[in-house]
Amino acid sequence: MTRITIAKGDGIGPEIMDATLAILKAAGAQFETDEIEVGEKVYLKGNTSGISAESWDIIRRNKVFLKAPITTPQGGGYKSLNVSTRKFLGLYANVRPCRSFHPYIKTKHPVMDLVIVRENEEDLYAGIEHQQTDEVVQCLKLISRPGCEKIVRYAFEYAKQQNRKKVTCFTKDNIMKQTDGLFHEVFNEIAAEYPDIENEHWIVDIGAAKVADTPEAFDVIVMPNLYGDVISDIAAQITGSVGLAGSSNIGEECAMFEAIHGSAPLIAGQNVANPSGLLQGAILMLTHIGQNEVAEKVQNAWLKTIEDGTHTADIYKEGTSKEKVGTKEFAEAVIANLGQKPKELKTVKYSGDSAMVLPKYTRKPALDKKLVGVDLFAHWRGTNPEEIAAMLHKIETNGLALSMITNRGIKVYPHGFSETFCTDHWRCRFKPTNGREVRPQDIIDLMQSAANGGIEVVKTENLYAFNGKDAFSLGQGQ
Ligand code: NAD
């Protein structure tokens, strides 16, 4: 029997967890629970992470974690438990189904039923930021092949298990040819392994606009972290109620399931909260552990309850709703509907009773890697590119010659435009004049020469070719 870890959390957490567990048990879900304490009480005992070492042990042993919302106290250096859980447990996929329930829940998008699969560990969220000059700060956007392969494969496996027909990829690879380019390339590679599932790619800006305007055009959408963060909130909002959505966070070893809303402290303890968000998280959990039949039964009973007009206060509407109920009574109504199906809302059907099988990433054979140049990033307070170019030409050594200068990515030397605004942050590209391979010592010599020549180098970036192909961006206008 599967053992899962549960945390009842804060605010409305305990009520909605009790309601959710009652429904799962009544539906015949097969699991036992270990309860841990996380959140406000733990934070206020002086533990800034909101969770004890023993609780981590239980989560790691059971591997499946159903978590009610928690309150993160303001100020005081408290760390978000959600972020820590995702990072420590390597929960690389955030999955958020966004479905509308027209005409029972008011929405501008009556036939919307999509799932956002968001990469959850890398991209601009690695938190690697530096101020380099008076005027310029940077944030590193890291995209890895394992990261892309894991998330894209998850999206296709999820689509297969849930009988979904299409997986769409959103990137901005027309601009970020290396990072988003890799994500798109891996998407194409993995899509080819799933010939029964349609696939397509959209540039994220027009894709996001399309989600907001015509969400019915999408089924499963997979995307890097930042785009997923923004678009998953838009998608949840336009279903008509964020209070009804659950999400899962999936790793190679562990997984966490939750509602997307918070602990709603103002309505806590009053038996008015809607348990549907956490219940949707729990349904995702059931499909994750392979209890698809029970998941289906719970989902269809819940749809029937919504359709019956048995609604909690947050979704109750004169005219559409029939009965305003509390948290417990809502759960009882879902339990009474177990085994039944909705008449108008689409029923769900998952394929078979099996957990998803996701192969672990295996490292690919090493690529042929060649050092072909270097970018020196200089802090220089002048404004005329010709002046810094003259200084840089003087520091050339070992046949490494200045080939280009860009300022915020725009080529300003040679042949720049006088109109281009320049900050104090200059990327200065050096390449060998005879096309030979660069040695690490050449770069060390160039750095020494820069220091001698009064150039302040704030960062260097090696330029590589992999398997004979240059793997770095050109200057805009180059
Ligand atoms: P919230 O989601 O708790 O509440 C926003 C609004 O929605 C409130 O009016 C609330 O009453 C209502 N609401 C939310 N869930 C509801 C439900 N199930 N039934 C009926 N109404 C519901 O967001 P907030 O007020 O910004 O945050 C409150 C606390 O929750 C904060 O401490 C925040 O840090 C925390 N939070 C936790 C999580 C999490 O644990 N995953 C997520 C978001 C916020």
Side-chain angles (χ1 to χ4, degrees):
M1 168 117 33
T2 309
R3 283 196 88 78
I4 66 162
T5 307
I6 59 160
K8 294 193 175 180
D10 301 311
I12 58 172
E15 303 159 67
I16 61 174
M17 179 62 86
D18 289 342
T20 297
L21 292 177
I23 296 168
L24 298 193
K25 288 286 176 199
Q30 298 296 306
F31 61 82
E32 280 166 6
T33 56
D34 285 321
E35 185 176 344
I36 57 165
E37 192 173 76
V38 296
E40 204 170 19
K41 282 198 218 101
V42 183
Y43 282 120
L44 297 178
K45 273 187 210 149
N47 182 331
T48 55
S49 58
I51 180 170
S52 68
E54 297 77 57
S55 296
W56 273 128
D57 290 343
I58 296 171
I59 292 175
R60 292 170 72 190
R61 190 181 63 225
N62 290 341
K63 302 196 188 306
V64 177
F65 181 25
L66 181 64
K67 187 183 75 61
I70 58 159
T71 304
T72 309
Q74 295 290 306
Y78 300 110
K79 292 187 201 80
S80 156
L81 180 62
N82 287 328
V83 176
S84 311
T85 310
R86 281 206 285 270
K87 292 205 164 162
F88 283 132
L89 298 181
L91 306 182
Y92 63 85
N94 178 236
V95 184
R96 188 183 285 188
C98 300
R99 178 177 172 186
S100 57
F101 305 101
H102 174 80
Y104 307 98
I105 310 287
K106 192 164 177 263
T107 169
K108 292 179 184 142
H109 300 288
V111 288
M112 167 173 187
D113 182 10
L114 60 83
V115 183
I116 308 265
V117 178
R118 163 189 171 194
E119 198 290 319
N120 222 6
E121 285 188 302
E122 44 189 51
D123 193 359
L124 287 159
Y125 288 64
I128 309 174
E129 294 194 297
H130 301 89
Q131 177 161 2
Q132 296 177 328
T133 68
D134 299 349
E135 295 175 341
V136 174
V137 286
Q138 77 161 13
C139 174
L140 277 190
K141 169 161 167 141
L142 294 178
I143 299 278
S144 71
R145 177 167 271 276
C148 296
E149 284 194 13
K150 276 166 24 179
I151 192 71
V152 173
R153 190 171 298 286
Y154 187 86
F156 278 95
E157 282 294 321
Y158 180 89
K160 193 164 109 185
Q161 187 201 46
Q162 308 266 328
N163 281 320
R164 288 184 173 265
K165 306 284 175 271
K166 182 170 75 172
V167 181
T168 306
C169 174
F170 282 2
T171 72
K172 188 83 185 173
D173 68 335
N174 54 334
I175 302 295
M176 284 161 278
K177 297 188 170 69
Q178 298 293 324
T179 48
D180 284 22
L182 175 62
F183 196 96
H184 188 176
E185 181 184 315
V186 169
F187 176 80
N188 288 344
E189 286 168 17
I190 291 180
E193 296 175 30
Y194 296 84
D196 297 338
I197 299 172
E198 202 187 321
N199 70 80
E200 62 178 8
H201 173 268
W202 289 69
I203 297 295
V204 62
D205 40 26
I206 190 63
K210 183 98 173 162
V211 165
D213 182 66
T214 323
E216 61 274 22
F218 297 104
D219 199 345
V220 175
I221 318 179
V222 64
M223 61 191 102
N225 207 342
L226 176 63
Y227 313 141
D229 192 357
V230 177
I231 296 170
S232 62
D233 268 15
I234 296 173
Q237 182 73 38
I238 65 173
T239 60
S241 174
V242 277
L244 302 183
S247 87
S248 62
N249 293 277
I250 311 285
E252 283 189 338
E253 297 286 331
C254 300
M256 172 173 81
F257 303 85
E258 61 186 344
I260 71 170
H261 60 72
S263 56
L266 291 179
I267 58 164
Q270 300 165 30
N271 191 41
V272 296
N274 188 343
S276 299
L278 188 61
L279 183 66
Q280 290 303 323
I283 291 171
L284 289 166
M285 177 184 82
L286 291 175
T287 61
H288 179 78
I289 60 179
Q291 297 185 26
N292 296 330
E293 223 172 87
V294 188
E296 225 172 272
K297 193 164 154 191
V298 173
Q299 187 67 287
N300 287 329
W302 179 83
L303 288 167
K304 170 87 168 54
T305 310
I306 295 294
E307 202 175 271
D308 288 345
T310 308
H311 292 169
T312 44
D314 54 308
I315 55 170
Y316 184 87
K317 244 182 99 246
E318 244 9 283
T320 332
S321 308
K322 298 261 161 39
E323 193 191 359
K324 191 190 281 183
V325 293
T327 315
K328 270 200 196 114
E329 295 70 30
F330 182 83
E332 283 160 10
V334 176
I335 290 170
N337 280 334
L338 286 168
Q340 299 193 57
K341 289 187 174 159
K343 292 195 180 66
E344 283 195 29
L345 292 172
K346 206 173 99 210
T347 52
V348 293
K349 182 98 195 96
Y350 307 132
S351 34
D353 242 1
S354 63
M356 264 183 251
V357 184
L358 292 154
K360 285 205 175 187
Y361 179 80
T362 45
R363 186 161 281 167
K364 307 280 177 294
L367 302 177
D368 171 42
K369 180 180 180 188
K370 197 170 154 200
L371 186 58
V372 296
V374 65
D375 281 347
L376 302 190
F377 290 77
H379 181 183
W380 182 65
R381 294 192 175 85
T383 52
N384 182 353
E386 298 294 329
E387 275 178 42
I388 185 172
M391 292 162 73
L392 291 164
H393 278 302
K394 282 196 199 132
I395 68 163
E396 291 172 349
T397 54
N398 302 348
L400 279 190
L402 177 69
S403 69
M404 168 188 83
I405 304 174
T406 68
N407 197 293
R408 290 183 299 169
I410 304 147
K411 191 188 74 171
V412 293
Y413 177 88
H415 316 304
F417 282 17
S418 59
E419 290 86 348
T420 304
F421 182 85
C422 290
T423 67
D424 59 359
H425 185 268
W426 307 81
R427 174 179 60 169
C428 314
R429 178 158 293 173
F430 288 83
K431 294 181 94 178
T433 41
N434 59 3
R436 71 169 170 86
E437 188 163 2
V438 176
R439 297 161 303 156
Q441 188 61 43
D442 295 333
I443 296 174
I444 295 166
D445 292 346
L446 185 65
M447 292 284 285
Q448 183 63 58
S449 178
N452 296 344
I455 301 281
E456 184 192 344
V457 177
V458 293
K459 165 195 165 90
T460 66
E461 201 67 62
N462 290 352
L463 305 179
Y464 292 108
F466 284 91
N467 289 353
K469 210 171 126 212
D470 283 351
F472 47 87
S473 54
L474 300 177
Q476 216 160 355
Q478 197 186 4

